[in-house]
Amino acid sequence: MKKEFEEYLRAINMPNSLIERIETIFPYIELLCPEEIVRLFVTDYVQEDGAREYESVLFFSKDFICEAKQFVTENDIDVTPINKRIFYITLKTQDYDLKNATEKSRIYAKVFFEEGPPTLNFDLKASKENCAYAVQMLSDILVPNLVR
Amino acid sequence: MSQEKPKNIDEYRRWLKTEHKEEITARSATYYDSATAKIVQAFESSDFWTSIKDDFRDTDAQYRLKNGYPLWASENPPKLIVKPFDSFLLKTFRKNVLENKNWPDSPKKGWILPDNWFSAVNDIVRTTFVVKYLDGVDFLVTSMRSLCAECKLDSKPHFEAREEGYYAAHFYVYREFEIPQVTWDTKRIRASVELQITTQLQEVIRQLTRKYYEERRERLKAPDTKWQWDYTSEEFVPNYLGHILHYLEGMIMEVREKQRNGAQ
């Protein structure tokens, strides 16, 4: 796994066992994605009791996005081209000013690809310090790939 | 010559003084506090406990990877607590007198007295880990056994299943501690720390039944009617609740596994 991926995962307080789990997913991603993975994002949320749940991993190459859904317990992976194919993004935030994330900060974006069938979409969910990384994904990858 | 059995803690203190020349005073309690503080300090800074705290989230992750569900019922590791001196003394009273089948001779493993009682009482320092699911108990016991082996510590698990509806694993970690003596010197003793592992539901019922547990422990003799037959007694409902909850937890496991196997 690239050093920057591991640094990101540690920055969002992911336990070692789950980092190792993501390592085991990479061969499946390499099977599906014809390009090198250049960015990584883990969707997470916080339960009512305060427990942090890591949900899906998004793998980005230059022109493709792969998603490993419920990566902790499943091998359920898909891939789709991303290049100028996003036609709708909806964004919600809570206790987050896009600059300083706190324990209560949450961000949720739903991203739709060009109209189907099938209608493809994915969720970009983040809590706490992961909100800043979600904003980076939006500005660096998702918004630039909006259909014009 | 028959020895009259002490009937309460005051008579027990007198018995300790007359039969074993051990006088329990306020100084005894102060000494107890200082010795147990040393035990806690040493255990908290041990490799074993440091790993338990540092790997708390990773242990949860390992359980999730294996079972698909969270392990812990809380976000943070529990804190070590010390048995208060009065409770400690009461425990020695129970072991030396109330539960001593050899009375007036010593219990099978000998009298529990100040020169050995830090070693003989196994739960002076303890804590409770609360897990969400029943299989989390065994998972954690296995994990702790491996960690003890890595740290070269002896350990022993006991899976408690008591008549009064109490279900939990008690995991004992043994090691040497250096504690102050009553004089200025220190001495090395071998003592255990008790790590209790229980489920969320059992923890709830424990809080409700604690009162009856304390009362039961202080009884000189069993009541005339067993609680299982005395449905008017205060213990009847909470004790059976403990059993019912344990059964329910087994059923929850069955549902959980069926769901998981169905999803696969």
Side-chain angles (χ1 to χ4, degrees):
Chain A
M1 191 189 295
K2 287 185 182 178
K3 193 173 164 215
E4 58 263 37
F5 295 166
E6 206 176 315
E7 281 171 0
Y8 159 64
L9 295 173
R10 294 204 189 282
I12 61 169
N13 287 314
M14 184 173 282
N16 285 336
S17 297
L18 295 188
I19 295 177
E20 286 166 16
R21 167 66 182 144
I22 293 176
E23 289 233 33
T24 69
I25 294 172
F26 265 97
Y28 300 95
I29 301 298
E30 282 157 11
L31 179 66
L32 288 181
C33 182
E35 297 174 342
E36 187 195 359
I37 300 300
V38 295
R39 298 287 283 271
L40 193 70
F41 181 79
V42 178
T43 67
D44 79 295
Y45 62 93
V46 177
Q47 290 191 335
E48 267 181 37
D49 61 1
R52 191 175 198 170
E53 299 285 330
Y54 299 97
E55 199 176 26
S56 301
V57 187
L58 302 171
F59 300 82
F60 296 92
S61 70
K62 184 172 157 292
D63 295 316
F64 294 89
I65 173 174
C66 296
E67 184 181 13
K69 298 181 277 294
Q70 302 296 335
F71 77 96
V72 174
T73 51
E74 295 179 25
N75 284 341
D76 181 0
I77 298 154
D78 52 30
V79 63
T80 194
I82 194 173
N83 198 356
K84 302 287 189 252
R85 285 190 64 228
I86 296 173
F87 87 96
Y88 181 73
I89 301 175
T90 172
L91 176 71
K92 287 184 200 171
T93 64
Q94 186 182 303
D95 293 310
Y96 184 50
D97 61 2
L98 302 184
K99 289 176 194 156
N100 303 303
T102 68
E103 285 289 303
K104 292 184 181 170
S105 296
R106 308 284 185 264
I107 192 168
Y108 172 70
K110 200 163 181 78
V111 181
F112 287 82
F113 290 92
E114 60 189 351
E115 291 172 272
T119 308
L120 297 178
N121 62 79
F122 67 91
D123 293 336
L124 196 78
K125 248 187 261 181
S127 62
K128 306 184 192 183
E129 63 280 315
N130 203 21
C131 291
Y133 294 98
V135 169
Q136 279 179 15
M137 292 295 128
L138 279 163
S139 60
D140 295 351
I141 299 175
L142 301 177
V143 168
N145 279 300
L146 278 166
V147 170
R148 285 176 174 54
Chain B
M1 181 177 79
S2 82
Q3 210 179 111
E4 201 169 318
K5 226 180 192 182
K7 291 187 205 55
N8 53 52
I9 198 74
D10 291 328
E11 287 183 15
Y12 175 63
R13 284 173 187 248
R14 281 195 286 278
W15 174 84
L16 278 173
K17 188 176 176 182
T18 52
E19 296 301 318
H20 296 284
K21 311 285 182 282
E22 297 287 357
E23 191 169 3
I24 305 300
T25 63
R27 194 167 172 232
S28 315
T30 307
Y31 168 64
Y32 174 86
D33 289 343
S34 120
T36 54
K38 282 286 180 196
I39 293 174
V40 168
Q41 194 180 43
F43 194 75
E44 273 179 346
S45 55
S46 67
D47 290 343
F48 174 82
W49 189 248
T50 306
S51 295
I52 289 277
K53 287 193 306 181
D54 290 349
D55 296 342
F56 191 73
R57 293 180 71 241
D58 198 57
T59 307
D60 177 87
Q62 286 171 32
Y63 178 84
R64 277 177 198 260
L65 284 166
K66 191 177 168 201
N67 299 299
Y69 292 88
L71 173 66
W72 302 120
S74 63
E75 271 294 284
N76 299 303
K79 294 200 180 333
L80 295 168
I81 55 175
V82 175
K83 191 190 274 297
F85 180 70
D86 289 344
S87 296
F88 168 79
L89 192 64
L90 185 64
K91 184 157 188 171
T92 67
F93 174 34
R94 283 203 326 275
K95 298 286 183 194
N96 282 332
V97 178
L98 299 178
E99 295 166 9
N100 178 8
K101 291 183 170 57
N102 291 341
W103 181 269
D105 294 327
S106 70
K108 215 159 56 165
K109 292 182 184 174
W111 294 115
I112 298 175
L113 296 169
D115 66 348
N116 71 347
W117 62 15
F118 286 112
S119 300
V121 176
N122 61 8
D123 63 348
I124 296 175
V125 177
R126 64 182 172 195
T127 191
T128 304
F129 291 86
V130 183
V131 298
K132 280 192 184 278
Y133 295 96
L134 195 56
D135 65 344
V137 177
D138 190 59
F139 174 86
L140 199 51
V141 166
T142 305
S143 172
M144 285 182 176
R145 281 191 100 150
S146 300
L147 185 56
C148 279
E150 273 174 40
C151 298
K152 295 186 177 31
L153 293 174
D154 290 335
S155 65
K156 197 189 280 188
H158 283 280
F159 285 85
E160 302 280 345
R162 298 184 191 161
E163 211 176 72
E164 294 79 24
Y166 175 76
Y167 291 90
H170 288 188
F171 187 84
Y172 296 96
V173 181
Y174 298 90
R175 57 164 279 177
E176 294 217 336
F177 297 94
E178 190 140 347
I179 62 169
Q181 297 201 79
V182 179
T183 60
W184 288 109
D185 297 342
T186 61
K187 65 173 176 178
R188 287 194 81 77
I189 58 155
R190 185 175 152 86
S192 61
V193 172
E194 181 183 86
L195 308 178
Q196 296 176 1
I197 305 163
T198 190
T199 62
Q200 234 174 345
L201 289 179
Q202 283 294 332
E203 180 60 11
V204 164
I205 205 71
R206 243 157 57 121
Q207 306 299 332
L208 295 174
T209 56
R210 185 169 296 278
K211 172 187 153 187
Y212 310 112
Y213 179 60
E214 303 288 338
E215 283 170 6
R216 201 182 309 124
R217 290 195 309 180
E218 288 187 47
R219 276 187 210 129
L220 189 59
K221 67 181 184 88
D224 293 331
T225 308
K226 287 186 174 184
W227 67 265
Q228 292 92 327
W229 285 101
D230 185 3
Y231 55 84
T232 64
S233 76
E234 286 187 50
E235 285 181 88
F236 186 86
V237 169
N239 286 357
Y240 272 116
L241 260 181
H243 288 296
I244 290 168
L245 285 177
H246 189 69
Y247 173 67
L248 279 176
E249 290 194 293
M251 291 178 73
I252 288 168
M253 285 302 306
E254 208 177 300
V255 169
R256 194 190 86 176
E257 291 308 303
K258 273 186 184 155
Q259 272 186 355
R260 197 151 165 257
N261 294 333
Q264 286 170 355

